[in-house]
Amino acid sequence: MTRKSLERLLRPKSVAVIGGGAWCRNVIKTCHTIGFDGAIWPVHPSKSTVEGLKAYASIEDLPDAPDASFIGVNRNASIDVLTSLSQRGSGGAVCFASGFAEATAELEDGADLQARLLNAAADMPFLGPNCYGFLNYLDGCALWPDQHGGQRVQSGVAIITQSSNIAINLTMQNRAVPLASVVTAGNQAQVDLCEIGMALLKDPRVTCLGLHIEGINNIRSLEKLSNLSRELKKPICILKVGKSDQAQLASVSHTASLAGSHTGASALINRLGCAQVDDLSTFLEVLKIWHVAGPLTSHKIASASCSGGEASLMADLGSAFGLRFPDLTGTQASRLRTTLGPKVALANPLDYHTYIWPDKNLMQQTFDALFDTDIAIGLVVLDFPRADRCDISDWECALEAIIACRKNAHTPIGIVGSLPDTMPEAMAQQLIRANVIPFNGMDTALRAIALARIDEPSPIPILAPQTPENVATIGEAEAKTALAKFGLRIPQSLKGSSIKDFLKADGSLQKPWVLKGLGLAHKSENGAVRVGLTNFAEVINAQKTMNCDEYLLEEMIENPITELLIAVTLDPAHGYVLTLGAGGTLTELLQDTTSLILPVTEADVTKALNNLRCAPILDGYRGAQAIDCKALWQAIDTVQNYVIAHRGQVQEVEINPLICTSTQAIAVDALIVQGDAQ
């Protein structure tokens, strides 16, 4: 069944409010206060009026099929209401009641009731259940049962959240972020965040999109939303909660704790070209940047302030967030020296002192010179005094200089209040109208700037996750053999249970040797690895200390440059997570890893490896030899190809360590967790 568009629901000309309680009365009040100029039809079986409006006894009695309806009755009655609305040809509804699939732990019938809800709606879209609805500040419509702090706008950012309370809080911000729409999705029984997001992004008045996500239900939907975002050049910022999720800790390998579900979500979000933030303040500041200037082009910035202390803070915080302050060019320095005179030390960040403070023209010339270079954004630290206790007229010269500079600048310009409190909302609104970005606090501003540059999403479709059943662990010898068939380099080896099985090693295995006891997940920790063996006597002595049923004798890889980890873990919510990083016995201690979602390209891997702390070692640290990067990519690609070929069967693949030399990359330990496809 093809579901109807969300257009009528999100931009209605007529609204029905079903129910007569306080929540429903609030919806009517909110519609009036936001300036809704369409018809509002209360529906109640016994009341003749609700909030001064004529009430109708039933949906069938309404003058016409409503474009949007707020269902403010209990969960059981909501099903009958949805049936009537759908049969009447309504445009859509907000299902306010809770107690459906989101409450299955508390209510045995929650899932069944949700199934009935979906059946009742048929092809009519609805938001929820368990959601507040939406606020449309562009068209002046609010199916919203509570207070909100927003106001009408001509254009702005759209925000979607699974939490109604988070939505309320976001409308109360005083950062001057222009809100075009705020929509709550509830438990997404029918319409998910991505479908809502696509409907909002298509509105030409919406400049960018923010998502507050508790869980990703459908990778393909998020992929479609990302593709639309790229097509329309309207970026997406995501606040994904759930860092503490440790669902994969029981896995036998190192990888589970490194590539759990939050890691998978982060890797997925990055792959789709979305910005990811960790707090609501940064969330709003990123959206504000994009509304005024769009995505930033680099991490290079310039900063001006009239205080050395402020300049130092900007330098320290910017560096902590990975931002760069390029040195001044000769032309810049010359222009600044002419403007500022001999007493000012020229640098970026610039402390321009207060010698030029009253002179608007000199201030503009200073900012013009400082920002006339290859940077992503120019910043002026400017804290406005309290208007209720102080005179702010002396700040007008700086304000006028910055706005004049922005008119001629080829780069975005922002004003940074060092504290959130020193950027008044009225001033911030004035700045946005002048195409200048107002920032509420240095740390949040610089964090947001670092995140406001986004990468192009990968054009390659994500490898959809498929969970196997009857999984079992394939041990080292068998795992390496299976991967070798796909092209992985492994050491020459012999497998056996006694010294007799290794007698032919003299003729087939190059010395020195390594002896390993098989059947253990962490061999080194259990004393089941002995290296540098050169004769059978040493092999016998090593074997006596291990007490294993089977052993692996293999050639020792000499002249290693470094040991790396390559692992893929199935994350059912986000895809197949490839984790790369420092390997060997220090994997958990160093925690130096990076994660990607399969499939990946060689360019993806190269970029990810450069983010590791151990990256200098790969390139040849302090004159040492570099690893064979092509051999490393071939090893990674081998693991990727194995996973793709066994999608639906494989749950985990790990190589640890992969010994990298100047000429090869060889897997000296591996395991595979695999089962049957469902």
Side-chain angles (χ1 to χ4, degrees):
M1 180 188 301
T2 302
R3 194 162 61 243
K4 293 177 181 176
S5 163
L6 292 172
E7 177 71 13
R8 286 177 65 194
L9 171 60
L10 297 178
R11 298 179 64 181
K13 302 299 183 186
S14 59
V15 167
V17 181
I18 296 104
W23 297 111
C24 292
R25 294 196 300 273
N26 286 342
V27 171
I28 295 172
K29 291 176 184 176
T30 306
C31 277
H32 285 147
T33 57
I34 205 171
F36 181 64
D37 57 6
I40 303 174
W41 300 321
V43 177
H44 195 277
S46 60
K47 294 183 179 180
S48 60
T49 62
V50 176
E51 282 299 309
L53 297 176
K54 176 186 175 181
Y56 297 83
S58 68
I59 291 164
E60 291 71 21
D61 292 334
L62 293 176
D64 200 351
D67 290 328
S69 300
F70 183 88
I71 304 174
V73 298
N74 66 57
R75 66 189 189 119
N76 290 294
S78 294
I79 295 170
D80 294 333
V81 171
L82 265 181
T83 300
S84 297
L85 287 170
S86 178
Q87 292 176 349
R88 186 74 198 271
S90 301
V94 170
C95 186
F96 178 64
S98 59
F100 295 88
E102 82 281 357
T104 50
E106 297 81 21
L107 299 170
E108 291 183 1
D109 64 344
D112 291 338
L113 209 61
Q114 181 150 308
R116 291 174 57 197
L117 198 70
L118 289 167
N119 186 61
D123 65 347
M124 184 190 74
F126 70 90
L127 304 180
N130 190 27
C131 82
Y132 261 30
F134 66 88
L135 294 154
N136 178 342
Y137 292 112
L138 295 169
D139 302 301
C141 181
L143 266 69
W144 193 259
D146 208 334
Q147 297 186 88
H148 68 94
Q151 59 185 358
R152 296 285 296 273
V153 296
Q154 297 298 312
S155 67
V157 310
I159 294 175
I160 312 170
T161 170
Q162 289 178 252
S163 167
S164 297
N165 211 54
I166 292 290
I168 294 174
N169 297 340
L170 288 172
T171 72
M172 301 297 176
Q173 55 88 21
N174 60 4
R175 297 168 179 265
V177 179
L179 300 175
S181 296
V182 177
V183 184
T184 62
N187 80 10
Q188 306 176 85
Q190 184 207 63
V191 178
D192 67 8
L193 285 93
C194 297
E195 186 175 349
I196 300 167
M198 285 187 280
L200 297 177
L201 280 182
K202 290 175 183 176
D203 190 322
R205 300 168 295 176
V206 170
T207 54
C208 55
L209 178 65
L211 302 178
H212 167 253
I213 297 178
E214 295 174 8
I216 296 171
N217 293 341
N218 190 315
I219 291 175
R220 289 289 178 246
S221 292
L222 195 57
E223 206 168 23
K224 284 179 63 178
L225 179 62
S226 166
N227 291 337
L228 180 64
S229 164
R230 180 181 68 248
E231 177 187 333
L232 298 177
K233 295 180 170 51
K234 297 181 180 183
I236 300 172
C237 181
I238 297 178
L239 172 54
K240 167 70 173 66
V241 297
K243 280 188 176 182
S244 60
D245 187 355
Q246 301 296 315
Q248 298 185 26
L249 270 180
S251 178
V252 298
S253 78
H254 304 294
T255 315
S257 60
L258 301 174
S261 68
H262 184 74
T263 301
S266 295
L268 175 63
I269 292 167
N270 290 335
R271 180 194 180 87
L272 295 176
C274 303
Q276 184 174 15
V277 300
D278 294 325
D279 63 271
L280 291 170
S281 294
T282 309
F283 181 69
L284 289 170
E285 295 296 273
V286 169
L287 293 173
K288 190 194 299 178
I289 293 171
W290 288 346
H291 173 76
V292 176
L296 301 183
T297 57
S298 72
H299 283 158
K300 294 186 288 186
I301 66 174
S303 170
S305 62
C306 62
S307 159
E310 291 171 347
S312 297
L313 275 174
M314 290 292 284
D316 288 346
L317 289 169
S319 176
F321 294 128
L323 298 172
R324 293 172 50 207
F325 295 87
D327 292 338
L328 300 175
T329 66
T331 300
Q332 283 181 293
S334 176
R335 291 172 63 187
L336 288 169
R337 179 61 66 210
T338 299
T339 302
L340 297 174
K343 297 181 181 179
V344 175
L346 301 182
N348 180 24
L350 174 67
D351 168 17
Y352 61 85
H353 294 259
T354 54
Y355 304 121
I356 60 171
W357 182 264
D359 192 319
K360 178 250 183 184
N361 291 328
L362 287 177
M363 296 182 81
Q364 180 185 341
Q365 291 170 29
T366 297
F367 303 143
D368 285 343
L370 182 62
F371 302 151
D372 186 17
T373 187
D374 179 23
I375 54 174
I377 187 171
L379 302 172
V380 179
V381 180
L382 191 64
D383 292 270
F384 294 96
R386 294 178 58 128
D388 59 337
R389 299 177 184 173
C390 305
D391 180 4
I392 67 169
S393 58
D394 284 348
W395 273 253
E396 290 179 1
C397 61
L399 197 61
E400 291 172 0
I402 294 165
I403 292 173
C405 174
R406 178 66 189 97
K407 289 179 180 178
N408 301 319
H410 64 274
T411 188
I413 293 176
I415 294 183
V416 180
S418 58
L419 296 170
D421 318 63
T422 57
M423 177 58 70
E425 184 176 20
M427 186 62 68
Q429 290 170 336
Q430 178 183 342
L431 290 171
I432 288 177
R433 288 192 294 270
N435 207 29
V436 175
I437 308 166
F439 289 103
N440 294 68
M442 275 186 189
D443 54 345
T444 307
L446 293 170
R447 185 185 294 110
I449 289 167
L451 294 168
R453 185 193 69 82
I454 56 177
D455 296 323
E456 279 290 311
S458 171
I460 306 171
I462 292 165
L463 183 66
Q466 184 176 334
T467 303
E469 53 189 11
N470 305 319
V471 296
T473 299
I474 300 173
E476 176 182 346
E478 293 79 9
K480 287 197 293 191
T481 299
L483 291 167
K485 292 178 180 177
F486 280 73
L488 183 69
R489 293 286 305 278
I490 62 174
Q492 293 293 314
S493 64
L494 291 171
K495 180 181 176 183
S497 57
S498 69
I499 191 64
K500 294 179 182 179
D501 297 320
F502 301 135
L503 292 177
K504 57 183 177 181
D506 266 334
S508 60
L509 294 184
Q510 182 177 335
K511 297 176 183 178
W513 299 325
V514 177
L515 183 70
K516 301 176 182 179
L518 298 179
L520 300 170
H522 304 291
K523 300 180 188 67
S524 298
E525 290 88 330
N526 289 281
V529 178
R530 293 287 296 275
V531 301
L533 307 178
T534 58
N535 56 60
F536 284 115
E538 292 177 349
V539 173
I540 292 170
N541 289 333
Q543 185 179 359
K544 289 178 181 178
T545 65
M546 295 183 189
N547 192 28
C548 294
D549 293 330
E550 283 192 302
Y551 302 88
L552 192 68
L553 186 69
E554 63 184 20
E555 62 177 328
M556 181 175 168
I557 307 303
E558 298 188 281
N559 302 315
I561 293 174
T562 191
E563 296 182 349
L564 295 178
L565 162 76
I566 303 175
V568 174
T569 303
L570 169 63
D571 185 333
H574 308 117
Y576 292 90
V577 183
L578 169 66
T579 298
L580 306 171
T585 58
L586 299 179
T587 297
E588 292 96 337
L589 180 63
L590 295 179
Q591 294 282 296
D592 184 17
T593 61
T594 185
S595 294
L596 301 164
I597 296 291
L598 295 186
V600 294
T601 65
E602 186 174 0
D604 296 331
V605 168
T606 300
K607 182 178 179 180
L609 290 172
N610 287 335
N611 292 327
L612 296 173
R613 296 193 301 276
C614 67
I617 296 174
L618 310 184
D619 296 330
Y621 186 60
R622 291 192 173 181
Q625 284 188 306
I627 69 165
D628 186 336
C629 293
K630 182 62 68 173
L632 172 57
W633 160 245
Q634 290 170 348
I636 295 167
D637 197 34
T638 293
V639 174
Q640 169 172 251
N641 290 334
Y642 181 88
V643 172
I644 292 172
H646 294 82
R647 187 179 77 90
Q649 297 173 292
V650 69
Q651 181 168 291
E652 186 174 344
V653 178
E654 182 181 284
I655 296 171
N656 189 22
L658 180 83
I659 293 183
C660 297
T661 74
S662 62
T663 59
Q664 58 185 343
I666 299 182
V668 298
D669 199 355
L671 66 79
I672 297 172
V673 180
Q674 195 162 299
D676 302 322
Q678 297 190 42

